[in-house]
Amino acid sequence: MSEESTSYDASNIQILDGWEAVRKRPGMYIGSTSERGLRHMVFEVADRAVNEVLDGRAASVDVTLTPDGGVCVADDGPGIPIDGTGPAGGPGLEALLTQMQAGTGAGGRHDITLGFCGVGPAVVNALSQRMTAEVRREGVRWVQDYARGVAATPLTEAGTATGSGTTIAFWPDADIFGAAEFSFDGLEERFRELAFLNQGLEISLTDLRRPDESRSVRLRFPGGARDFVVFLDGHAAASAPMDTIAFEYEDSRMAGVMEVAFRWCSCPGERVRSFANSRPTINGTHAVGFRDGMAAAVTAYARKQGLLTATDPDFGADRIGEGLTAVVSVKLDRPEFEGSTRGVLGNAEVRDCVGQAVQDHLGRWLKEDPERAAAVIDRIIQGARKKLTDNEPPFRSRRRDRQGVGRADARSEFRSSAIQPRMRPWDQ
């Protein structure tokens, strides 16, 4: 290999000016250039409007997919400050839409991040062939156009305004996204989650791309997590053996608030959804604490009623999930996530806080309604039996292992545990 082909000096370094880095590697900022990336574009623009509602400065957010391929996000708040000197202390309109990570959120538990990494609407501007902004503030209507990350026109006063609010519309750059289209269902799913998790939030989503197939939904759920559990159950809600247990509790030890709702129904499997600061999580200390609390409450009740003897093991967290539907949401002042995708909550103190609260509420319910409590525990036991049966090997594969213990003998010994309990009242 020649020296010329292996040389590396300053001439090999490429310097990208302005928004070129975002446009060259958009996946680093919005996840992808497919439909998923387009969805995050909407979330980055809607983020500010949603937080306006949650802060009490606006009543609703309207998101519209327009016939020409754009998206319009509108709110009825006080309007983005024009020069950045408003009472909220946030950036002015042009700074918000042209400078990365210029935001107006309060932070902590009171601030929601909808987008991929919370990069803000300026990144959406950089990836759009066109963006327009209209601000109605203090009786004046202001407008400004943008293109690919920069202002295309000066901020202009366009007459008087009736009411107040902000409307931002953008059209994704076809050179980056090709023929990808927004998914109404994907947007609806995430906005529905937000409305369930934030009881004061109202979001309307409208699709006008095909006049003969227009769609519109209004998302507002005063019941919060309780309504979320009913939604996850679907038509199985009527067959639930227990009422929905739902509570909201603030715990200073974790510097935050938890909202939990759960119940068992006749549906197979389990449906447990967890969230941290309104972001979906795949696991974390809040989810582990929830299962700890459930298992502890059920075990304590079963022992007190004589359904488990002193030699029976406790109900494990992996044995309480059959037929369980639950929503576990925490909002923390200082959330700590494991990894850059924020899918696993890491705050250690949250586990004990959530676990104790769940144990107290479920334990109280089991004590107050013994008939339904028996039905719940019976379902847990039957689900454990089914797992054992499903995991048994065929009879023809039975053979003695290296320690000389027959598999049939081992299974017989295993069945003597709490999974195959002694005769209970509902077995007679």
Side-chain angles (χ1 to χ4, degrees), residues 19 23 41 45 94 96-99 120-132 145-151 170-171:
W19 291 104
R23 293 179 59 80
M41 297 255 283
V45 174
E94 187 167 335
L96 179 70
L97 300 182
T98 59
Q99 298 178 15
V123 167
V124 178
N125 187 2
L127 299 175
S128 299
Q129 63 183 11
R130 181 185 170 212
M131 174 180 277
T132 64
D145 292 340
Y146 304 82
R148 296 179 173 86
V150 298
F170 67 93
W171 290 260

Side-chain angles (χ1 to χ4, degrees), residues 135-199:
V135 176
R136 301 173 301 282
R137 183 180 176 86
E138 300 175 347
V140 180
R141 177 173 172 265
W142 299 85
V143 297
Q144 190 169 21
D145 292 340
Y146 304 82
R148 296 179 173 86
V150 298
T153 65
L155 182 64
T156 304
E157 184 176 338
T160 59
T162 302
S164 63
T166 302
T167 301
I168 297 176
F170 67 93
W171 290 260
D173 195 332
D175 292 341
I176 295 175
F177 296 96
E181 292 187 348
F182 295 98
S183 167
F184 183 92
D185 293 336
L187 292 170
E188 180 185 4
E189 179 180 5
R190 178 63 175 132
F191 285 137
R192 187 183 299 277
E193 284 180 351
L194 289 172
F196 277 129
L197 299 171
N198 300 276
Q199 299 178 27

Side-chain angles (χ1 to χ4, degrees), residues 78-396:
I80 298 174
I82 299 304
D83 55 5
T85 60
L93 176 65
E94 187 167 335
L96 179 70
L97 300 182
T98 59
Q99 298 178 15
M100 188 180 297
Q101 297 179 339
T104 59
R109 77 176 83 172
H110 303 292
D111 190 28
I112 289 179
T113 301
L114 282 70
F116 184 66
C117 295
V119 292
V123 167
V124 178
N125 187 2
L127 299 175
S128 299
Q129 63 183 11
R130 181 185 170 212
M131 174 180 277
T132 64
E134 176 186 286
V135 176
R136 301 173 301 282
R137 183 180 176 86
E138 300 175 347
V140 180
R141 177 173 172 265
W142 299 85
V143 297
Q144 190 169 21
D145 292 340
Y146 304 82
R148 296 179 173 86
V150 298
T153 65
L155 182 64
T156 304
E157 184 176 338
T160 59
T162 302
S164 63
T166 302
T167 301
I168 297 176
F170 67 93
W171 290 260
D173 195 332
D175 292 341
I176 295 175
F177 296 96
E181 292 187 348
F182 295 98
S183 167
F184 183 92
D185 293 336
L187 292 170
E188 180 185 4
E189 179 180 5
R190 178 63 175 132
F191 285 137
R192 187 183 299 277
E193 284 180 351
L194 289 172
F196 277 129
L197 299 171
N198 300 276
Q199 299 178 27
L201 180 60
E202 178 179 331
I203 301 178
S204 295
L205 176 63
T206 304
D207 188 352
L208 301 178
R209 291 174 294 180
R210 300 170 183 83
D212 54 337
E213 300 178 8
S214 61
R215 303 169 62 183
S216 182
V217 293
R218 176 178 172 271
L219 306 169
R220 185 175 183 272
F221 304 101
R226 183 188 297 272
D227 287 347
F228 204 167
V229 166
V230 174
F231 173 78
L232 293 174
D233 274 348
H235 296 296
S239 61
M242 64 176 286
D243 299 326
T244 302
I245 298 176
F247 65 89
E248 187 173 352
Y249 179 66
E250 183 168 359
D251 195 322
S252 60
R253 293 175 297 168
M254 68 179 197
V257 62
M258 68 186 80
E259 185 178 9
V260 180
F262 59 91
R263 70 176 175 194
W264 281 272
C265 71
S266 61
C267 296
E270 70 174 39
R271 294 151 299 282
V272 178
R273 303 283 297 278
S274 64
F275 301 85
N277 288 33
S278 296
R279 295 183 68 95
T281 53
I282 57 176
N283 205 342
T285 51
H286 57 327
V288 175
F290 169 76
R291 295 184 183 277
D292 288 347
M294 298 284 283
V298 171
T299 297
Y301 180 82
R303 291 199 183 283
K304 185 175 181 180
Q305 299 299 315
L307 304 177
L308 290 177
T309 69
T311 58
D312 289 329
D314 292 348
F315 288 112
D318 61 333
R319 292 174 53 194
I320 62 172
E322 185 65 24
L324 177 66
T325 304
V327 172
V328 183
S329 173
V330 295
K331 296 176 182 176
L332 310 174
D333 290 338
R334 296 175 297 276
E336 299 173 3
F337 295 95
E338 298 178 9
S340 60
T341 59
R342 304 182 183 182
V344 179
L345 184 69
N347 299 65
E349 64 279 2
V350 171
R351 177 174 180 174
D352 289 340
C353 295
V354 173
Q356 186 61 56
V358 170
Q359 182 178 352
D360 292 345
H361 282 81
L362 178 55
R364 190 179 304 117
W365 180 88
L366 291 170
K367 182 178 179 180
E368 293 173 352
D369 198 336
E371 183 177 347
R372 290 189 176 182
V376 166
I377 294 178
D378 180 49
R379 182 171 184 83
I380 293 173
I381 293 172
Q382 296 300 328
R385 287 175 179 169
K386 183 177 184 298
K387 287 183 180 180
L388 176 63
T389 302
D390 292 344
N391 292 331
E392 284 184 342
F395 179 81
R396 65 176 178 272

Side-chain angles (χ1 to χ4, degrees), residues 25-32 116-117 119:
R25 298 286 186 267
M28 294 178 60
Y29 302 89
I30 59 171
S32 77
F116 184 66
C117 295
V119 292

